[in-house]
Amino acid sequence: MPSSNPHPRWAWSVPALLAVVLYAATWSAPFLYDDQVCVVENAQIRSAGNFFELWTSSFPPGRVMSGLYRPATAATFLFDHLRGGLSAGTFHATNVLLHAIAAALVARLLLVLGRSAREALLAGSFFALHAVHVEAVAWVVGRAEILAAIFVLWSAIAWFEFVRTRRTSTLVIAALAYFLGLASKENAAMLPFVLLGATWVLGVGPPAVPSEPETPRKEKRALAVAPTRPGLVALAPFLGALVVYAFLRVGALGSLTPVKGSLAFDGLEPGARLGSAFWCLLQDARLLVVPWPLRIDYARELVAGLGEPKALLGLAFSAALFAAALWAWRQSRWAALWLLWFSAFVLIVSNLVLLIGAVMAERFLYVPSVAACALFAALVERGLASARAPFRVGALVLGAALVVGNAAAALARIPDWCDEERFWRVFLAQDPKSEKAHQALGDLAWKRSQAGEAAHTEPALQFLRDGAALAADDPGHTTRDHVEIVLRLADRLRTLGRAEESLAWFEESLRALERDAHLSAFPIADVRVLHALALEAAGRTEDARAAYAAAAAKSPTPGVFVNLGLLEDRLGRPEDALAHLRRATELDPKFVLARVNLGTLLLDRGRADEALKELAIARQLDAGVWIPQLLARWCLERANKPHAPPAAAQALVLVERVSAFVGDGSVYALARGMLAEKAGDLVRATREYDAALAADPNLVPAREGRARIQAALGR
């Protein structure tokens, strides 16, 4: 007899609980890797007012070439930021909660399709614990995979409810969930093909009425008792959702597909592309069955051509998968459904039909893994339902192995994602030729050295030198990561005063950028500016001026003209300096740094009206405290210069105007007191020093100035 409650809560709540318990440790994990760009540096997620901008921008904003459009994912980041700011724990807690929801939905889908509560529990639990999910759950940007899975599962559940009830509301929900899945990640696009195959080819659907528990002989018949299939027109809402998504995506990115130059298989011959894709397909299947060993990066999985042994193995697996699908279509429609699910959702991330930005990744298996978990659950359930004791024992052993093995592998893997240095050291151990890992470890050591731990300075530089040396293995192809490493090394050497070594590395980066066409998207103008700064640091000011001028001719960006203007000022050419700074504001009227430097330069020339106009525009563009702080330093520098009384009086007038513009404070009062003292107005100087001390009683220069005046007056 069927259960009185075919959808018991424990069937989906237990998997959700397992997911939360397994990943609780990730709540203390930091932001890692792409989290910096997509979350920490993403200004769009910092205000609820930006919600609609998320739907018209690339992900992250300003990176159109990446070909990523994920407004629903970005919206959840915005929500997390509203709740907890940039607290990494808030973002990680949301990932864990979403993973729990996904596990519950896996169980729910099986219940809707008429499977037993025990089988649904097994599938949801296998999904909750599967070790291949660690990357998606423990990495904040992995949320795109989880959200896509949630909406795909929700859409599939609503679809099969529509098949059973023909309620229009469930069809609308299915289409809406599909659209949100697309807006979470592009791989959700394959769902209609799965539903088409499941409903019209395989005849899989929810049973029309509760039926007795299935046996192996009855499985095919049981799946055929679904209600009459709806017409193909029922898929029209999915097509509509896809069209709306495509329209929004093209509006945000300019195209449907990623731009060439940002793809993992760029530069590979067709044979190498196919061979690599087939090999990665085999690796995907292997990770779903035996998720060990797990890696952070799979960029080294490329093969040279279709004749390579790895490529041939991948081809053989693909042929076997096709044969298994044909067998399942005849013998077990349930198995056929999940082979279709796996094939569809792996195909879109396999680089076989659509080139993407990664060779392969464990997080890409989040949606396809639903198929593996459902098939394992069906196998265990069949064994447990068998009348033969060996089959029942075998099913128990298999189920326990899947639970314990995956949980153990996940628990061993999670700590790698909870500590930034450990993450990159594991990355480097797995791939000693990784330029990314060398760069990241160099950055971490450099941060420590800048925080006062001087012992980390040389290790920071050595990581970058070792990373830069990797390009010697392939001198004909310079990667973007190599250029990034060289630039970091050059700039940090410049910061440390090692000018000549710094220049050598800058010149190497410029040669690479000018030589390799595939690096054309790299901001070479910024590199030329840094090179000119290094020339300045080496005392080669005329060479630096020529470098800035060449950069301005080749890449006339505002930053180039700002730096050229500042150099001209230091060389005693104020009119040229002002002209270059004005050119920078013409190129970008919202470039705050250009406005501020132009304003301070005009103040130096005594042109207060023009200066304050530029500074007012700068403060409208940026309300931060750095502009008042910079002007306070300017006032103090002005006050500290040796002035004859008339010049001091003129400088005092300028400082008064700046003080009135910014709003008074102790530093401005101090500067006015110093200038009044030099101008011979000791009464005014005393009053200003008193005002400075009233605002900051610990301001030593104001106390000393007041003491000097009292001594001069004989008090």
Side-chain angles (χ1 to χ4, degrees):
M1 292 293 292
S3 169
S4 59
N5 181 10
H7 297 173
R9 290 183 180 179
W10 54 263
W12 53 264
S13 59
V14 170
L17 180 61
L18 288 173
V20 171
V21 171
L22 180 64
Y23 286 97
T26 65
W27 293 14
S28 63
F31 291 117
L32 287 172
Y33 204 2
D34 288 350
D35 292 346
Q36 293 296 322
V37 175
C38 296
V39 179
V40 178
E41 299 170 9
N42 187 348
Q44 276 190 338
I45 69 167
R46 297 178 188 173
S47 169
N50 295 331
F51 176 79
F52 292 104
E53 279 186 31
L54 302 176
W55 298 85
T56 59
S57 306
S58 63
F59 178 78
R63 303 221 173 186
V64 174
M65 285 194 64
S66 67
L68 301 183
Y69 176 68
R70 298 173 184 174
T73 301
T76 66
F77 291 159
L78 186 152
F79 176 70
D80 281 346
H81 191 277
L82 290 176
R83 289 190 302 128
L86 284 177
S87 167
T90 302
F91 288 82
H92 284 292
T94 300
N95 271 28
V96 174
L97 176 62
L98 291 172
H99 178 53
I101 293 172
L105 287 173
V106 170
R108 176 70 179 172
L109 177 59
L110 267 68
L111 291 171
V112 166
L113 288 172
R115 310 303 283 191
S116 71
R118 183 170 62 187
E119 185 175 338
L121 169 67
L122 288 168
S125 299
F126 293 158
F127 186 87
L129 301 174
H130 205 301
V132 84
H133 295 159
V134 172
E135 181 178 339
V137 182
W139 192 16
V140 173
V141 296
R143 184 180 303 177
E145 314 290 341
I146 307 174
L147 283 172
I150 286 173
F151 290 122
V152 161
L153 290 164
W154 182 22
S155 181
I157 291 168
W159 167 259
F160 287 120
E161 288 285 2
F162 166 74
V163 170
R164 183 174 66 85
T165 65
R166 294 297 194 276
R167 288 203 305 266
T168 303
S169 59
T170 56
L171 181 59
V172 171
I173 290 171
L176 175 62
Y178 174 59
F179 173 76
L180 292 174
L182 289 169
S184 299
K185 195 181 176 189
E186 302 80 0
N187 59 348
M190 301 304 290
L191 178 63
F193 298 99
V194 174
L195 300 180
L196 176 66
T199 306
W200 282 277
V201 178
L202 299 177
V204 175
V209 293
S211 58
E212 61 187 80
E214 298 166 11
T215 65
R217 291 179 177 272
K218 289 184 177 179
E219 180 180 333
K220 187 173 179 179
R221 183 178 301 171
L223 289 171
V225 300
T228 306
R229 287 171 291 193
L232 284 172
V233 71
L235 286 178
F238 289 87
L239 179 60
L242 186 61
V243 169
V244 172
Y245 166 77
F247 176 80
L248 292 172
R249 180 183 176 90
V250 171
L253 303 181
S255 67
L256 281 174
T257 57
V259 179
K260 188 176 181 181
S262 63
L263 306 174
F265 284 11
D266 277 339
L268 291 184
E269 297 295 328
R273 288 184 181 182
L274 285 174
S276 299
F278 281 120
W279 169 245
C280 290
L281 189 63
L282 173 58
Q283 292 301 300
D284 287 337
R286 191 266 305 171
L287 286 170
L288 291 180
V289 178
V290 183
W292 192 269
L294 297 168
R295 299 175 60 87
I296 293 173
D297 187 72
Y298 288 84
R300 307 293 174 187
E301 296 295 330
L302 298 175
V303 299
L306 276 172
E308 292 286 317
K310 289 182 177 180
L312 294 175
L313 282 173
L315 280 167
F317 167 75
S318 300
L321 182 65
F322 181 72
L326 289 177
W327 173 87
W329 183 69
R330 294 176 179 274
Q331 300 297 322
S332 171
R333 298 294 175 90
W334 184 250
L337 166 65
W338 295 114
L339 288 175
L340 172 63
W341 182 289
F342 168 78
S343 301
F345 286 111
V346 161
L347 194 63
I348 196 171
V349 295
S350 67
N351 286 289
L352 277 171
V353 295
L354 178 69
L355 295 181
I356 61 174
V359 175
M360 64 174 283
E362 292 163 18
R363 64 187 182 277
F364 293 171
L365 297 178
Y366 195 85
V367 179
S369 69
V370 175
C373 296
L375 288 172
F376 278 132
L379 188 60
V380 173
E381 173 68 11
R382 179 173 294 189
L384 293 174
S386 173
R388 302 175 64 179
F391 287 170
R392 293 197 300 273
V393 172
L396 284 172
V397 170
L398 176 60
L402 288 169
V403 169
V404 174
N406 275 288
L411 288 172
R413 177 93 160 126
I414 287 171
D416 295 346
W417 294 82
C418 292
D419 179 87
E420 189 172 11
E421 183 171 355
R422 174 170 173 163
F423 172 86
W424 288 111
R425 287 194 180 277
V426 169
F427 195 135
L428 189 60
Q430 293 175 347
D431 185 2
K433 293 186 177 182
S434 169
E435 293 167 323
K436 285 188 180 75
H438 281 92
Q439 177 183 317
L441 288 168
D443 288 348
L444 287 173
W446 181 256
K447 285 179 184 176
R448 290 185 176 181
S449 73
Q450 296 302 290
E453 300 179 44
H456 290 279
T457 301
E458 286 306 318
L461 297 175
Q462 193 57 48
F463 274 122
L464 296 179
R465 289 192 185 100
D466 292 343
L470 294 171
D473 297 337
D474 187 11
H477 180 72
T478 304
T479 66
R480 186 184 179 97
D481 289 330
H482 171 75
V483 177
E484 291 278 9
I485 286 175
V486 170
L487 285 175
R488 274 174 165 75
L489 180 56
D491 200 41
R492 285 166 190 174
L493 287 166
R494 178 181 67 84
T495 302
L496 294 171
R498 305 182 194 180
E500 294 304 323
E501 190 180 357
S502 170
L503 281 172
W505 287 109
F506 273 126
E507 285 159 6
E508 177 181 323
S509 67
L510 283 170
R511 284 193 298 271
L513 289 170
E514 291 167 353
R515 179 185 65 236
D516 294 333
H518 70 280
L519 295 173
S520 59
F522 200 93
I524 191 171
D526 295 342
V527 181
R528 291 192 175 108
V529 168
L530 291 171
H531 177 235
L533 286 170
L535 287 168
E536 282 192 69
R540 295 161 56 179
T541 52
E542 287 302 327
D543 289 341
R545 185 171 181 270
Y548 281 131
K554 294 178 181 178
S555 308
T557 63
V560 172
F561 284 101
V562 167
N563 282 280
L564 181 54
L566 295 176
L567 177 59
E568 295 283 22
D569 182 54
R570 287 191 290 273
L571 292 174
R573 300 165 180 161
E575 292 308 315
D576 289 341
L578 290 172
H580 291 312
L581 289 169
R582 290 192 189 282
R583 176 62 176 147
T585 62
E586 291 168 2
L587 289 171
D588 184 358
K590 295 184 178 181
F591 191 22
V592 177
L593 195 61
R595 297 280 183 187
V596 171
N597 280 294
L598 178 57
T600 54
L601 217 60
L602 287 167
L603 283 175
D604 287 339
R605 307 276 83 77
R607 295 155 65 174
D609 291 337
E610 296 175 70
L612 294 177
K613 179 181 176 182
E614 296 294 337
L615 292 169
I617 296 172
R619 292 198 73 188
Q620 288 175 354
L621 295 170
D622 187 338
V625 299
W626 71 276
I627 296 177
Q629 289 173 347
L630 183 145
L631 291 174
R633 285 198 301 273
W634 181 89
C635 290
L636 276 180
E637 289 170 3
R638 195 80 172 179
N640 278 313
K641 289 182 179 180
H643 290 293
Q650 292 176 352
L652 179 57
V653 172
L654 274 178
V655 170
E656 284 175 338
R657 295 200 61 181
V658 172
S659 303
F661 168 75
V662 175
D664 213 352
S666 60
V667 175
Y668 298 103
L670 172 63
R672 292 195 302 270
M674 294 169 67
L675 288 168
E677 184 180 357
K678 291 177 181 179
D681 188 347
L682 300 186
V683 174
R684 167 76 183 275
T686 301
R687 188 169 64 250
E688 296 292 356
Y689 285 140
D690 287 341
L693 289 169
D696 182 0
N698 297 316
L699 196 60
V700 175
R703 189 179 298 114
E704 292 174 345
R706 199 174 191 289
R708 282 194 307 272
I709 293 173
Q710 288 179 337
L713 296 175
R715 295 179 183 175

